[in-house]
Amino acid sequence: MSHSPTTDDSWTVGQLLSWTAKWLAQRGSESARLDAEVLLSHVRGCPRIALYTTFEDLVSLDQRKRFRDLVRRRGNGEPVAYLVGTKEFFSLNFNVSPSVLVPRPETEGLVVRVLDVCKEALPETSAPAIVDVGTGSGAIAVTLAKHLDCASISASDISEDALRQARENANLHHVDDRITFIKSDLLDDAHLTGPWDIIVSNPPYVRSDEFEGLPNSVRCFEPRQALVGGPTGVEIISRLIHQAGACLKVGGWLLIEIGPNVHDAMQQILANTSGLEQGPIIHDLAGRPRIVQAKKIEM
């Protein structure tokens, strides 16, 4: 197709999707067709799957102009989730903005592990006390509240903007009365001393010198504070591990998402932390170390 949807020619849904997917792919998108579909369904106010039954429908000039603007921004690297304002996580839709990280599929594994711990390791605990440290959009805390009716859940973040977003999502999913949100640097706040059955966190773990090498869509748009963990990538994680040793109940669990870049350092930190017994590392679908788990033991 030689002409572009910036002209006033008639364009069908199918034509727009084909042209846009090719254009986005040329600009480095690894999910160009999906990006095009999500953006067009957003502009047309319909579920993405509905596009497949409307390939021959003409798209109005107004919708094409709105779509063109979103596509241009996507071509510059802006995450689709920020463009449409939502991201699916664990089959739930979450509102997102540049004040929080876009929820990743890898983090769903962290939720699965918490649910498994509640079922397998804490079966006698009728109302597990859980804290989500660095909650961001609230994806972990809200999802847990939806799946654990009796759990007592708290969520902390150092960013007031992030907490505002998390509260909005808790309200969206009708669990705002089930989660206590607290502004805190990790577990520093007096209300977060526990004791907890589970401490779960997806903390910053990118090394400072790795930041410039991140994809443009991450480096230029997502909050740096939620990405960079310090010069070695484990400065924040190390603080959290040491706090967890004092804030967990005996038999309680610490579950942390990590990147492969900090795997070895994490192992060493846990080995040097008294009172925590490290469990097996859980790998993601790509085979990379992703979830570190440790259990509080009697001293």
Side-chain angles (χ1 to χ4, degrees):
M1 195 180 303
S2 59
H3 62 302
S4 80
T6 58
T7 67
D8 288 342
D9 299 332
S10 297
W11 282 76
T12 66
V13 166
Q15 288 174 322
L16 266 184
L17 290 176
S18 296
W19 189 95
T20 303
K22 183 183 296 184
W23 189 85
L24 288 175
Q26 291 171 350
R27 279 150 184 80
S29 172
E30 297 180 355
S31 54
R33 176 71 183 201
L34 176 61
D35 292 351
E37 291 178 0
V38 171
L39 294 177
L40 188 56
S41 63
H42 174 70
V43 167
R44 288 175 65 80
C46 68
R48 183 168 65 90
I49 196 170
L51 296 177
Y52 288 88
T53 62
T54 58
F55 271 5
E56 301 306 317
D57 287 8
L58 292 176
V59 181
S60 70
L61 179 60
D62 176 63
Q63 287 184 344
R64 292 208 313 274
K65 287 180 177 178
R66 291 164 53 207
F67 180 64
R68 178 183 64 204
D69 178 60
L70 293 177
V71 170
R72 175 185 57 78
R73 291 165 62 186
R74 177 59 187 145
N76 290 331
E78 192 166 348
V80 170
Y82 291 161
L83 294 174
V84 302
T86 64
K87 177 68 175 181
E88 185 178 294
F89 179 85
F90 223 83
S91 299
L92 298 171
N93 282 323
F94 286 84
N95 293 335
V96 294
S97 69
S99 64
V100 298
L101 289 182
V102 176
R104 265 66 167 183
E106 294 85 354
T107 306
E108 293 183 352
L110 200 55
V111 172
V112 170
R113 185 55 189 148
V114 173
L115 296 177
D116 285 346
V117 166
C118 288
K119 180 180 178 181
E120 300 166 4
L122 303 171
E124 306 302 322
T125 306
S126 58
I130 302 172
V131 60
D132 172 24
V133 180
T135 194
S137 66
I140 294 173
V142 170
T143 303
L144 291 176
K146 293 288 286 185
H147 288 267
L148 297 170
D149 292 340
C150 297
S152 172
I153 299 175
S154 292
S156 73
D157 206 288
I158 197 171
S159 165
E160 188 59 59
D161 288 339
L163 286 172
R164 190 176 301 112
Q165 185 81 85
R167 291 188 187 100
E168 179 182 313
N169 282 316
N171 183 66
L172 175 68
H173 292 291
H174 311 292
V175 293
D176 47 306
D177 61 336
R178 303 259 331 281
I179 304 173
T180 301
F181 292 99
I182 299 172
K183 184 177 182 181
S184 177
D185 184 2
L186 302 182
L187 295 170
D188 284 352
D189 189 274
H191 295 91
L192 295 172
T193 55
W196 302 101
D197 290 296
I198 298 175
I199 297 173
V200 59
S201 182
N202 177 18
Y205 50 73
V206 174
R207 292 198 317 264
S208 299
D209 63 355
E210 289 180 315
F211 182 71
E212 290 302 320
L214 293 177
N216 181 55
S217 60
V218 176
R219 178 174 51 83
C220 297
F221 296 96
E222 298 196 67
R224 190 182 194 278
Q225 183 182 39
L227 292 164
V228 178
T232 67
V234 295
E235 280 78 3
I236 293 174
I237 292 175
S238 179
R239 286 178 51 217
L240 177 58
I241 289 175
H242 286 99
Q243 288 181 337
C247 296
L248 279 171
K249 296 177 183 177
V250 172
W253 289 79
L254 171 66
L255 303 169
I256 302 178
E257 178 176 329
I258 64 165
N261 60 318
V262 299
H263 172 256
D264 293 342
M266 280 286 303
Q267 300 273 73
Q268 192 61 47
I269 293 169
L270 278 171
N272 294 331
T273 303
S274 61
L276 290 178
E277 180 180 71
Q278 185 174 358
I281 296 286
I282 297 175
H283 293 71
D284 61 22
L285 294 177
R288 297 167 297 199
R290 185 59 63 183
I291 298 172
V292 168
Q293 48 184 351
K295 183 180 180 181
K296 177 71 174 289
I297 57 176
E298 289 273 14
M299 290 297 294

